[in-house]
Amino acid sequence: AGGCGGRARTGRAERPGVAPRPRRRSRPRAHGRLFPQTENGVLLPSLQSALPFLDLHGTPRLEFHQSVFDELRDKLLERVSAIASEGKAEERYKKLEDLLEKSFSLVKMPSLQPVVMCVMKHLPKVPEKKLKLVMADKELYRACAVEVKRQIWQDNQALFGDEVSPLLKQYILEKETALFSTELSVLHNFFSPSPKTRRQGEVVQKLTQMVGKNVKLYDMVLQFLRTLFLRTRNVHYCTLRAELLMSLHELDVGDICSVDPCHKFTWCLDACIRERFVDSKRARELQGFLDGVKKGQEQVLGDLSMILCDPFAINTLSLSTVRHLQELVSQETLPRVSVSGWLPAASGRGAGMDCCWSGVHVLLPVAGGGAHHQVPAHAHVLRGGRSHLQRGSEAPGRGEGPSLVPKHASGEFHQVPAGAAHGL
């Protein structure tokens, strides 16, 4: 530069009296890319200047990012629930299916698994391929919601039986413990709890949740109860059959109540059990239900017999019988001329159809029946005391609960043959 006679060029920092301009600090890079911590962090310009304050308070960056992640996950779960309840059914299910397709690969990641399970929970029909993957993995099966399990159970009766069997064993054990308790008294005995209180039990509530609105699962449970009742002669299975139906009735599960032919009969009988008396009006209603069984539907009487074999039903009918007899004695009237006729006698529907399930006489149609036809059966129950409740525990192994379940489900309400019932 001196040779040219010109003035030598100098950098800005070398100019006299001019302060050097600070260089822009670039983000750290590794091989041309951002470092993972920076790349995967919260990329907000305003946050970069605030993070050093966390360092001053000794808060690790891991703890900060974990709290942000948890908050975002909760927001995502809320959004999934919102999508499942807004818009048309086809549109929202399409969105959920797309979201499930994109997120299902992360289902085994514990931090994101709740999101995937939430999406599956709100889908009325999860793709079969994904259901099989969930069923094959025990950890995923335990983690999925009961709504997803219902879709698995309805096509896998053996797996459903494995889930139900422990609950049935628990129920029988609880009933027998209450029956043989040494703390029973005149004021507080086995029959003291009201029907609504009994339906709040753990087993009934779990079975109600497992069944939901699925008619096929409900039918499977009924098949288990019928089979175990015939095998063990334990009348507590009859109690559970009635309690489960009325529990679904309280939840207004019309899909099931509308197809169970015993619903209205059980509902009426439940009201009688609650009041511990069968008045003439309800007796006529019960008789009307029995008379309403059309030709070709006699198999429904099998389920009605099971409902009436409930010890709480027999206790109510027996108490009502004694009360009615006391009234007849005070009026010096014979049962055959009594017009109140509270007992559900039939109007000539077959001779001697007094189905004897579990060895207990049940008040079902008797040709030309009147109260005097039914009294011996009630006297037998009253004389036997608690023997009809204990019958299921006397045989070896009968008190241990269910061990096997039926192999196939028909998908419809069917009864056991009448001959099997009479052969107990």
Side-chain angles (χ1 to χ4, degrees), residues 218-382:
Y218 178 68
D219 187 38
M220 287 184 190
V221 175
L222 295 191
Q223 289 185 61
F224 299 158
L225 295 177
R226 295 184 193 109
T227 302
L228 293 167
F229 176 48
L230 288 174
R231 180 180 302 166
T232 65
R233 305 183 184 184
N234 195 322
V235 292
H236 297 311
Y237 291 115
C238 302
T239 306
L240 181 56
R241 194 258 189 260
E243 288 179 352
L244 178 60
L245 176 56
M246 292 311 300
S247 178
L248 294 168
H249 166 81
E250 289 181 345
L251 296 177
D252 198 20
V253 185
D255 295 345
I256 291 177
C257 294
S258 61
V259 297
D260 191 336
C262 300
H263 172 234
K264 292 184 178 180
F265 183 89
T266 308
W267 186 9
C268 182
L269 186 60
D270 183 76
C272 298
I273 295 174
R274 183 177 64 249
E275 298 176 4
R276 302 180 188 277
F277 181 69
V278 183
D279 56 28
S280 57
K281 179 181 178 181
R282 289 206 172 100
R284 287 192 295 269
E285 291 181 8
L286 292 173
Q287 179 176 344
F289 294 137
L290 294 175
D291 293 339
V293 178
K294 300 178 181 179
K295 187 176 181 180
Q297 296 180 346
E298 289 81 2
Q299 69 274 10
V300 176
L301 294 177
D303 258 7
L304 294 178
S305 298
M306 196 169 178
I307 295 296
L308 284 168
C309 263
D310 174 11
F312 293 89
I314 293 178
N315 178 66
T316 301
L317 295 173
S318 301
L319 293 176
S320 300
T321 301
V322 172
R323 180 173 172 178
H324 186 64
L325 292 176
Q326 290 173 344
E327 292 177 356
L328 295 177
V329 170
S330 64
Q331 298 172 5
E332 298 183 356
T333 308
L334 292 176
R336 66 178 56 135
V337 297
S338 173
V339 295
S340 59
W342 69 269
L343 289 171
S347 55
R349 183 183 300 275
M353 288 184 62
D354 55 338
C355 296
C356 303
W357 287 57
S358 186
V360 179
H361 291 271
V362 179
L363 301 184
L364 283 182
V366 177
H372 61 289
H373 285 99
Q374 316 295 340
V375 170
H378 278 290
H380 170 75
V381 173
L382 292 172

Side-chain angles (χ1 to χ4, degrees), residues 94-107 112 115-116 119 130:
K94 182 65 169 61
K95 292 179 181 178
L96 291 175
E97 288 173 357
D98 293 341
L99 185 57
L100 178 62
E101 193 65 32
K102 295 177 181 178
S103 61
F104 191 79
S105 58
L106 304 173
V107 69
L112 290 174
V115 178
V116 184
V119 176
K130 292 178 172 55

Side-chain angles (χ1 to χ4, degrees), residues 11 24 35 178 199 226 276 348:
R24 179 177 296 177
F35 281 115
R199 288 193 288 271
R226 295 184 193 109
R276 302 180 188 277

Side-chain angles (χ1 to χ4, degrees), residues 137-154:
D137 192 308
K138 294 183 179 180
E139 295 295 331
L140 293 181
Y141 175 76
R142 282 195 292 264
C144 67
V146 68
E147 290 83 357
V148 181
K149 289 181 179 179
R150 288 190 199 119
Q151 300 183 43
I152 297 175
W153 292 334
Q154 67 179 2

